[in-house]
Amino acid sequence: MTADASNTPVPRDQLRVSHEERDAVVERLRDAAGDGRLDIDELEERVGRALTAKTYGELAPLTADLPLSAALAPVPPLVIKSGMQGASRTGRWKVPAKITAHGGMAGVRLDFTRVACALPEVEIEAYGEMAGVTIVVPEGWWVDSDEVDPGVGGLRNKTLHPETRLPGTPLLRITGKGGMAGITIRYPNFLERRRLEKAKGQ
């Protein structure tokens, strides 16, 4: 039986980038030039490539050899609890270096598929509790979940191995406990990929 190509996740390096993401890279390149990390020829060449980049695969290498800009203020740690109606972070949100997620009675969902994250590593302390924690990541991100205690609900990490990590993408280091409902780490499903495709033109 031939697999339906529409069910194959699009690799992150082939996903389209937005104007906002291009502009963020240009600003980071200019900061690097101001610090003396790039000369004028390198700056002009990289800015030109950034402004014409269409995909993450074209954009990410332009800053892969640069440290984080001092102008990028750190985001405070995030503690997210489900309450009685659930809780989530989706769309374009600022990712801190440390996130603590409590699944509680209604569940927590962390969706990284539309974020622009310049951090080399993000720590997520997840507690599945009664309703679970779901973490959705783009193709090309590396997720290390070896330190998770699966508990009764278990750990389901459906992402690939570290050799698939793309340059310029963060490592998500997951710790915590699965509890009764468990922790799920996965790529976008069919409907989520459809929404991502529609969002490219926005």
Side-chain angles (χ1 to χ4, degrees), residues 22 29 36 67 82 92 129 134 139 141 143 148 158 164 174:
R22 292 188 193 94
L29 292 171
S82 74
R92 296 185 177 95
E129 298 174 347
T134 298
E139 292 275 353
W141 285 30
V143 181
V148 173
K158 302 178 182 180
T164 64
I174 316 296

Side-chain angles (χ1 to χ4, degrees), residues 28 35 47 62 64 101 110 125-126 128 147 151 155 169 192 195:
R28 190 171 170 194
D35 292 339
V47 167
L62 301 179
L110 300 173
E125 188 176 346
E147 298 300 317
L155 168 69
T169 60
E192 290 163 343
R195 287 195 290 268

Side-chain angles (χ1 to χ4, degrees), residues 14-199:
Q14 296 179 21
L15 291 176
R16 298 282 181 137
V17 295
S18 67
H19 293 306
E20 179 181 338
E21 289 164 324
R22 292 188 193 94
D23 291 344
V25 168
V26 169
E27 286 302 313
R28 190 171 170 194
L29 292 171
R30 288 173 176 162
D31 288 342
D35 292 339
R37 301 182 193 279
L38 298 175
D39 62 34
I40 188 64
D41 291 335
E42 290 173 316
L43 174 63
E44 291 179 354
E45 188 265 340
R46 294 195 191 194
V47 167
R49 288 167 59 190
L51 293 174
T52 58
K54 293 182 172 62
T55 65
Y56 287 105
E58 295 173 338
L59 198 60
L62 301 179
T63 55
D65 60 347
L66 299 176
L68 292 178
S69 170
L72 297 175
V75 181
L78 170 65
V79 177
I80 182 169
K81 300 180 179 181
S82 74
M84 296 301 294
Q85 298 183 345
S88 66
R89 288 294 185 275
T90 61
R92 296 185 177 95
W93 54 287
K94 293 184 178 181
V95 179
K98 174 64 182 294
I99 300 171
T100 304
H102 293 271
M105 298 295 293
V108 165
R109 181 170 176 265
L110 300 173
D111 187 338
F112 293 89
T113 54
R114 294 189 66 190
V115 303
C117 182
L119 296 169
E121 182 172 318
V122 177
E123 180 184 350
I124 302 177
E125 188 176 346
Y127 298 94
E129 298 174 347
M130 297 300 293
V133 173
T134 298
I135 302 168
V136 185
V137 301
E139 292 275 353
W141 285 30
W142 176 23
V143 181
D144 180 356
S145 59
D146 291 346
E147 298 300 317
V148 173
D149 177 352
V152 176
L155 168 69
R156 293 171 289 279
N157 186 349
K158 302 178 182 180
T159 62
L160 301 177
H161 300 292
E163 59 266 22
T164 64
R165 184 182 182 185
L166 292 176
T169 60
L171 160 66
L172 297 191
R173 192 177 300 281
I174 316 296
T175 61
K177 298 181 180 180
M180 294 297 294
I183 299 168
T184 299
I185 308 161
R186 60 174 176 80
Y187 297 127
N189 60 30
F190 175 75
L191 291 177
E192 290 163 343
R193 293 199 304 272
R194 289 284 299 273
R195 287 195 290 268
L196 286 172
E197 290 292 330
K198 289 181 179 179

